[in-house]
Amino acid sequence: PPASYYGGYACFWWALSLIGLTTAIIGDLASIFGCLCNLKDEVTAITIVALGTSLPDTFASMLAIKADDTADNAIGNVTGSNSVNVFLGLGIPWSMAAIYWSSMAGDMPAVWHDLYKPIGEGGQGLVKESIYLQYKETGAFVYPANNLGFSLVVFCILTIVAFLLLFLRRKFLGAEFGGGKILNRISAVAFISLWCTYVMVYSLQVYGYYDNPFAS
Protein backbone atom coordinates (compact mmCIF):
# COMPACT_ATOMS: atom_id res chain seq x y z
CA PRO A 1 0.00 0.00 0.00
CA PRO A 2 1.15 3.60 -0.53
CA ALA A 3 2.88 5.18 2.44
CA SER A 4 0.13 7.82 2.59
CA TYR A 5 -2.48 5.27 3.69
CA TYR A 6 -3.28 5.19 7.42
CA GLY A 7 -0.24 7.27 8.33
CA GLY A 8 2.13 4.76 6.77
CA TYR A 9 1.15 1.90 9.10
CA ALA A 10 -0.44 -0.15 6.31
CA CYS A 11 2.75 0.04 4.24
CA PHE A 12 4.91 -0.75 7.27
CA TRP A 13 3.01 -3.84 8.39
CA TRP A 14 2.59 -5.12 4.84
CA ALA A 15 6.33 -4.76 4.19
CA LEU A 16 7.11 -6.42 7.53
CA SER A 17 4.85 -9.37 6.66
CA LEU A 18 6.49 -9.81 3.27
CA ILE A 19 9.94 -9.70 4.87
CA GLY A 20 8.89 -12.44 7.31
CA LEU A 21 7.47 -14.56 4.50
CA THR A 22 10.55 -14.09 2.35
CA THR A 23 12.83 -14.97 5.26
CA ALA A 24 10.89 -18.20 5.91
CA ILE A 25 11.11 -19.18 2.25
CA ILE A 26 14.83 -18.40 2.11
CA GLY A 27 15.41 -20.49 5.23
CA ASP A 28 13.60 -23.51 3.77
CA LEU A 29 15.29 -23.21 0.39
CA ALA A 30 18.68 -22.88 2.07
CA SER A 31 18.09 -26.03 4.12
CA ILE A 32 17.12 -27.94 0.98
CA PHE A 33 20.13 -26.60 -0.89
CA GLY A 34 22.39 -27.55 2.02
CA CYS A 35 21.06 -31.10 1.97
CA LEU A 36 21.65 -31.35 -1.77
CA CYS A 37 25.22 -30.09 -1.35
CA ASN A 38 25.80 -32.24 1.74
CA LEU A 39 26.34 -29.18 3.92
CA LYS A 40 25.62 -29.30 7.62
CA ASP A 41 22.90 -27.01 8.97
CA GLU A 42 25.41 -24.95 10.93
CA VAL A 43 27.39 -24.14 7.79
CA THR A 44 24.26 -23.44 5.76
CA ALA A 45 23.07 -21.04 8.47
CA ILE A 46 26.21 -18.88 8.50
CA THR A 47 26.56 -18.77 4.71
CA ILE A 48 23.44 -19.10 2.55
CA VAL A 49 20.81 -18.13 5.13
CA ALA A 50 22.95 -15.33 6.56
CA LEU A 51 23.62 -13.87 3.12
CA GLY A 52 20.00 -14.11 2.07
CA THR A 53 18.67 -12.37 5.16
CA SER A 54 21.47 -9.79 5.47
CA LEU A 55 21.68 -8.50 1.90
CA PRO A 56 18.73 -6.12 2.48
CA ASP A 57 20.67 -4.61 5.40
CA THR A 58 23.70 -4.28 3.13
CA PHE A 59 21.78 -2.29 0.53
CA ALA A 60 20.08 -0.20 3.22
CA SER A 61 23.45 0.70 4.72
CA MET A 62 24.80 1.54 1.27
CA LEU A 63 21.89 3.91 0.64
CA ALA A 64 22.36 5.46 4.08
CA ILE A 65 26.04 6.12 3.36
CA LYS A 66 25.19 7.88 0.10
CA ALA A 67 22.34 9.93 1.56
CA ASP A 68 23.82 11.01 4.91
CA ASP A 69 26.78 13.15 5.83
CA THR A 70 27.96 10.73 8.50
CA ALA A 71 28.37 6.96 8.87
CA ASP A 72 26.10 6.82 11.93
CA ASN A 73 22.99 5.55 10.16
CA ALA A 74 24.89 3.00 8.10
CA ILE A 75 26.60 1.41 11.10
CA GLY A 76 23.53 1.91 13.28
CA ASN A 77 21.44 0.02 10.72
CA VAL A 78 23.75 -2.99 10.94
CA THR A 79 24.00 -3.05 14.74
CA GLY A 80 20.29 -2.28 15.17
CA SER A 81 19.23 -5.00 12.74
CA ASN A 82 21.35 -7.61 14.49
CA SER A 83 20.06 -6.45 17.87
CA VAL A 84 16.51 -7.12 16.67
CA ASN A 85 17.56 -10.54 15.36
CA VAL A 86 19.17 -11.55 18.64
CA PHE A 87 16.96 -9.91 21.26
CA LEU A 88 13.57 -10.23 19.56
CA GLY A 89 14.11 -12.89 16.89
CA LEU A 90 15.44 -15.30 19.50
CA GLY A 91 13.93 -13.88 22.68
CA ILE A 92 10.24 -13.82 21.71
CA PRO A 93 9.93 -17.39 20.32
CA TRP A 94 12.16 -18.71 23.11
CA SER A 95 9.94 -17.08 25.75
CA MET A 96 6.77 -18.35 24.07
CA ALA A 97 8.10 -21.91 23.93
CA ALA A 98 9.30 -21.77 27.54
CA ILE A 99 5.90 -20.51 28.76
CA TYR A 100 4.05 -23.10 26.67
CA TRP A 101 5.96 -26.13 27.95
CA SER A 102 6.13 -24.86 31.54
CA SER A 103 2.35 -24.45 31.58
CA MET A 104 2.01 -28.22 31.16
CA ALA A 105 3.94 -29.11 34.28
CA GLY A 106 2.91 -32.43 35.74
CA ASP A 107 1.11 -33.60 32.62
CA MET A 108 3.74 -33.54 29.89
CA PRO A 109 2.37 -34.77 26.54
CA ALA A 110 4.02 -37.60 24.67
CA VAL A 111 5.33 -35.17 22.06
CA TRP A 112 7.57 -33.55 24.69
CA HIS A 113 9.05 -36.91 25.67
CA ASP A 114 9.60 -37.79 22.02
CA LEU A 115 11.16 -34.40 21.31
CA TYR A 116 13.52 -34.43 24.29
CA LYS A 117 14.38 -38.09 24.22
CA PRO A 118 17.74 -38.72 25.94
CA ILE A 119 20.74 -39.09 23.68
CA GLY A 120 21.36 -42.69 22.73
CA GLU A 121 17.77 -43.82 23.27
CA GLY A 122 16.58 -45.34 20.03
CA GLY A 123 19.53 -43.76 18.26
CA GLN A 124 17.83 -40.35 18.19
CA GLY A 125 18.29 -38.18 21.22
CA LEU A 126 18.44 -34.43 21.74
CA VAL A 127 19.47 -33.91 25.37
CA LYS A 128 21.54 -35.64 28.00
CA GLU A 129 19.69 -38.07 30.25
CA SER A 130 20.30 -35.86 33.30
CA ILE A 131 18.50 -32.93 31.58
CA TYR A 132 15.61 -35.17 30.54
CA LEU A 133 15.17 -36.47 34.09
CA GLN A 134 15.38 -32.94 35.50
CA TYR A 135 12.53 -31.55 33.39
CA LYS A 136 10.35 -34.56 32.56
CA GLU A 137 7.82 -33.65 35.28
CA THR A 138 7.98 -29.84 35.30
CA GLY A 139 8.46 -29.31 31.57
CA ALA A 140 10.78 -26.86 29.88
CA PHE A 141 11.95 -25.67 26.52
CA VAL A 142 15.41 -27.18 26.27
CA TYR A 143 17.63 -26.78 23.26
CA PRO A 144 21.25 -27.71 24.01
CA ALA A 145 24.05 -25.81 22.32
CA ASN A 146 26.49 -27.78 20.21
CA ASN A 147 28.99 -25.45 18.57
CA LEU A 148 27.39 -22.22 19.74
CA GLY A 149 30.06 -21.30 22.29
CA PHE A 150 32.88 -21.66 19.79
CA SER A 151 30.95 -19.75 17.13
CA LEU A 152 30.26 -16.83 19.49
CA VAL A 153 33.87 -16.59 20.64
CA VAL A 154 35.16 -16.50 17.06
CA PHE A 155 32.47 -13.99 16.09
CA CYS A 156 33.23 -11.69 19.04
CA ILE A 157 36.97 -11.74 18.34
CA LEU A 158 36.45 -10.84 14.68
CA THR A 159 33.88 -8.17 15.64
CA ILE A 160 36.44 -6.54 17.91
CA VAL A 161 38.91 -6.57 15.01
CA ALA A 162 36.26 -4.97 12.75
CA PHE A 163 35.59 -2.15 15.22
CA LEU A 164 39.34 -1.72 15.68
CA LEU A 165 39.64 -1.19 11.90
CA LEU A 166 36.89 1.43 12.06
CA PHE A 167 38.66 3.13 14.96
CA LEU A 168 41.95 3.18 13.03
CA ARG A 169 40.21 4.67 10.01
CA ARG A 170 38.73 7.36 12.22
CA LYS A 171 42.09 8.10 13.83
CA PHE A 172 44.26 8.20 10.72
CA LEU A 173 41.79 9.00 7.92
CA GLY A 174 39.27 11.08 9.83
CA ALA A 175 36.27 8.94 8.82
CA GLU A 176 34.97 5.39 9.17
CA PHE A 177 34.02 5.28 5.50
CA GLY A 178 35.31 6.93 2.38
CA GLY A 179 38.79 7.79 1.21
CA GLY A 180 40.70 7.08 -1.97
CA LYS A 181 40.13 4.06 -4.18
CA ILE A 182 43.12 2.17 -2.84
CA LEU A 183 42.20 2.67 0.82
CA ASN A 184 38.57 1.82 0.09
CA ARG A 185 39.54 -1.42 -1.59
CA ILE A 186 41.94 -2.34 1.19
CA SER A 187 39.20 -1.74 3.76
CA ALA A 188 36.69 -3.74 1.74
CA VAL A 189 39.09 -6.67 1.41
CA ALA A 190 39.84 -6.51 5.13
CA PHE A 191 36.17 -6.69 6.16
CA ILE A 192 35.33 -9.40 3.62
CA SER A 193 38.35 -11.37 4.88
CA LEU A 194 36.95 -11.22 8.41
CA TRP A 195 33.71 -12.83 7.24
CA CYS A 196 35.60 -15.46 5.22
CA THR A 197 37.77 -16.20 8.26
CA TYR A 198 34.71 -16.69 10.44
CA VAL A 199 33.09 -19.05 7.94
CA MET A 200 36.28 -21.05 7.43
CA VAL A 201 37.24 -21.37 11.11
CA TYR A 202 33.73 -22.30 12.22
CA SER A 203 33.14 -24.70 9.31
CA LEU A 204 36.37 -26.56 9.98
CA GLN A 205 35.31 -27.03 13.59
CA VAL A 206 31.81 -28.19 12.60
CA TYR A 207 33.28 -30.83 10.29
CA GLY A 208 35.56 -32.09 13.04
CA TYR A 209 38.97 -30.92 11.87
CA TYR A 210 39.63 -29.87 15.45
CA ASP A 211 37.77 -30.20 18.74
CA ASN A 212 35.42 -27.62 20.19
CA PRO A 213 37.27 -26.22 23.23
CA PHE A 214 33.96 -25.05 24.75
CA ALA A 215 32.08 -28.35 24.43
CA SER A 216 30.65 -29.61 27.69
Side-chain angles (χ1 to χ4, degrees):
S4 58
Y5 285 14
Y6 303 103
Y9 286 104
C11 179
F12 172 78
W13 289 110
W14 178 253
L16 196 63
S17 301
L18 290 181
I19 291 173
L21 177 63
T22 303
T23 303
I25 294 174
I26 290 175
D28 288 340
L29 291 177
S31 297
I32 295 172
F33 181 78
C35 290
L36 294 175
C37 297
N38 198 29
L39 293 175
K40 291 190 175 182
D41 289 341
E42 295 96 325
V43 178
T44 303
I46 65 171
T47 52
I48 304 171
V49 176
L51 284 173
T53 56
S54 297
L55 282 179
D57 294 332
T58 303
F59 291 115
S61 294
M62 182 179 66
L63 293 175
I65 292 173
K66 293 180 178 180
D68 297 334
D69 296 330
T70 67
D72 293 0
N73 286 339
I75 298 177
N77 174 67
V78 174
T79 55
S81 175
N82 284 279
S83 296
V84 171
N85 292 339
V86 174
F87 301 138
L88 296 183
L90 291 178
I92 291 177
W94 190 285
S95 299
M96 292 173 63
I99 294 172
Y100 174 78
W101 287 121
S102 297
S103 66
M104 298 185 180
D107 187 24
M108 299 307 298
V111 65
W112 188 92
H113 296 283
D114 291 337
L115 180 62
Y116 296 111
K117 187 182 301 181
I119 295 175
E121 185 176 320
Q124 296 180 350
L126 180 65
V127 300
K128 295 180 179 179
E129 185 176 3
S130 59
I131 297 178
Y132 173 79
L133 295 175
Q134 179 180 355
Y135 294 110
K136 71 174 185 177
E137 298 295 337
T138 60
F141 177 61
V142 184
Y143 210 92
N146 186 17
N147 300 303
L148 180 61
F150 179 80
S151 172
L152 287 177
V153 169
V154 174
F155 174 78
C156 290
I157 292 174
L158 295 177
T159 300
I160 293 173
V161 174
F163 278 103
L164 179 61
L165 290 176
L166 292 177
F167 172 77
L168 292 175
R169 284 185 58 91
R170 163 63 66 178
K171 183 175 179 62
F172 294 105
L173 301 179
E176 285 80 4
F177 296 121
K181 286 186 177 181
I182 295 178
L183 289 175
N184 279 343
R185 290 172 181 174
I186 292 175
S187 298
V189 170
F191 283 108
I192 293 174
S193 298
L194 291 177
W195 180 74
C196 293
T197 300
Y198 171 71
V199 171
M200 181 182 66
V201 172
Y202 182 57
S203 298
L204 289 175
Q205 193 279 316
V206 168
Y207 282 99
Y209 284 90
Y210 48 85
D211 295 330
N212 181 1
F214 303 100
S216 56

